[in-house]
Amino acid sequence: MTTKIRTVRVEEFEDFMRYIERAFGHSVDFFQRFGPHIYKPTPEVCAWGYVVEENGKIVSHVGVYPIEVVTAGVSLRIGGIGGVSTAVEARGKGYMTQLLHHAIDEMRAQGYPASWLGGDRQRYNSFGWEVAALSYHLIFSERSLGRANVTPATIEEVRPWEAAAHIARLMPLPDCHAYRPDLETQLHRQDLRVWVTDDGYAMAHGQDRDHANLIELASASGKEAEMIRAIIAWNHGEGATWELSAWDETRLARVMPYAAYWKTGFSNMYRVNDLTAVLRAALPRFERRAAGLRDFAVTLGIREHDRTQATTITARDGAVQIEAGRLAERYVELDPIVATRLVFGGPAIPETPHLSPGLLALLPVPVYVPQLDHV
């Protein structure tokens, strides 16, 4: 038996699609309908798929899809992990472990400081992914909006891809947004609905009329509540749900008074691939927060399966420096799961008492992957 890890080839794209559909038990063309911008037979896109070939046949796959987000002013290039699968007949041979470690190495080599995925926490904890990045699930009802005397906006539902130019112009407005180089293709996603106003747009996923699942909304004039009430009326429905990042503070403050109910959670799982690069991306934010902090210097180490990466954070007279390497006397070593909780804001960690209060005042680093960009 011969095996090797390689990327998907354009000439085998249809065979690859049939493999991944069978591995997940999904219908023919499911993945191309789900993510038309990340499953298509071009050299660039096929190179995002890493596979194990066994005796000339694809038997396992991990996709690393480029996502670039801006969250509260912090821009991060993220490797989105998707399509994680192994053929039924090839399971139990360790192929998935090999591919995930390979994907982590490739993300580092290609300049993805962080990674995102959705899936089973216990499974992916073993490879350093952990739940992080607080989000709010706001639930609006016709009653809650009506009691606040919200006047419905004038909206029109359109085919999503026909609104590509309108969306492209407005989508950078919110504090949390993504860059989308192939937006028009992305808007062909299955069961995506789009409504537009003169200065805004809204997206929903699914066909539930009673309760719309809003996944993205932008309004240059700040009339999100008016748009939500109009969408509920358009659907002859009773309510709508909208997930917002906790870092989307301006809009949260604006729409929270109209919510009938809200709850918090985390926006799936993240991983720190390159600690130094992640912290440097947030440096302008750190320096704004560092004013008035007591000077400190600490080295954080992330202990992984094949290496320990170390980054030194120094704050002095309100200025912050981020340097690769173990350069401070104070050293705290973390495993990748704990590091993600600390860096991106997740559940509490036992190492907190050993960390500088100044460092805790700087963290976490803002990050959020919008739902349209899930892979």
Side-chain angles (χ1 to χ4, degrees), residues 27 33 38 129 232 248 259 293 353:
S27 60
R33 296 193 302 269
I38 57 173
W129 280 273
I232 293 171
D248 208 333
L293 289 182

Side-chain angles (χ1 to χ4, degrees), residues 62-63 67 78-84 100 103-104 107 114-125 127-132 266-271 369 373-375:
V62 170
I67 304 171
I78 292 174
I81 303 298
V84 180
L100 284 169
I104 292 166
M107 285 190 287
S115 179
W116 173 96
L117 60 73
D120 182 87
R121 176 178 178 264
Q122 186 174 24
R123 178 186 191 187
Y124 292 109
N125 266 184
F127 302 93
W129 280 273
E130 173 63 305
V131 294
F266 293 98
S267 58
N268 288 305
M269 289 180 282
Y270 292 82
R271 188 185 198 282
V369 175
D373 304 284
H374 290 188
V375 296

Side-chain angles (χ1 to χ4, degrees), residues 74 119 149 159 163 185:
V74 175
N149 297 314
R159 295 181 181 89
T185 304

Side-chain angles (χ1 to χ4, degrees), residues 149-316:
N149 297 314
V150 173
T151 302
T154 300
I155 62 170
E156 179 186 2
E157 185 169 10
V158 299
R159 295 181 181 89
W161 52 92
E162 293 176 351
H166 186 70
I167 293 170
R169 178 172 61 87
L170 295 169
M171 69 185 185
L173 292 179
D175 288 340
C176 303
H177 61 270
Y179 292 115
R180 292 161 177 158
D182 196 9
L183 174 64
E184 186 171 343
T185 304
Q186 198 169 353
L187 290 172
H188 280 78
R189 193 169 199 158
Q190 184 179 22
D191 281 337
L192 186 67
R193 301 179 69 181
V194 168
W195 294 266
V196 297
T197 66
D198 288 342
D199 70 347
Y201 70 88
M203 299 183 193
H205 183 261
Q207 300 294 327
D208 188 343
R209 291 192 311 152
D210 289 339
H211 200 95
N213 176 27
L214 299 174
I215 64 170
E216 189 160 307
L217 194 155
S219 172
S221 56
K223 295 182 178 179
E224 296 90 356
E226 289 85 345
M227 292 175 66
I228 293 169
R229 189 168 192 195
I231 290 167
I232 293 171
W234 185 279
N235 287 338
H236 315 297
E238 296 295 329
T241 300
W242 184 21
E243 179 186 287
L244 278 172
S245 167
W247 296 106
D248 208 333
E249 295 173 345
T250 300
R251 294 197 299 172
L252 273 171
R254 193 157 57 223
V255 301
M256 188 71 81
Y258 307 111
Y261 186 78
W262 57 266
K263 56 186 177 180
T264 58
F266 293 98
S267 58
N268 288 305
M269 289 180 282
Y270 292 82
R271 188 185 198 282
V272 178
N273 295 329
D274 183 333
L275 178 61
T276 303
V278 167
L279 297 181
R280 282 177 176 166
L283 192 54
R285 182 180 181 88
F286 289 166
E287 293 196 325
R288 290 194 297 273
R289 293 181 131 189
L293 289 182
R294 183 174 296 177
D295 292 353
F296 72 87
V298 60
T299 296
L300 292 180
I302 300 182
R303 180 180 63 255
E304 300 198 46
H305 69 285
D306 61 344
R307 73 194 77 191
T308 298
Q309 55 171 313
T311 301
T312 300
I313 305 98
T314 306
R316 186 172 292 111

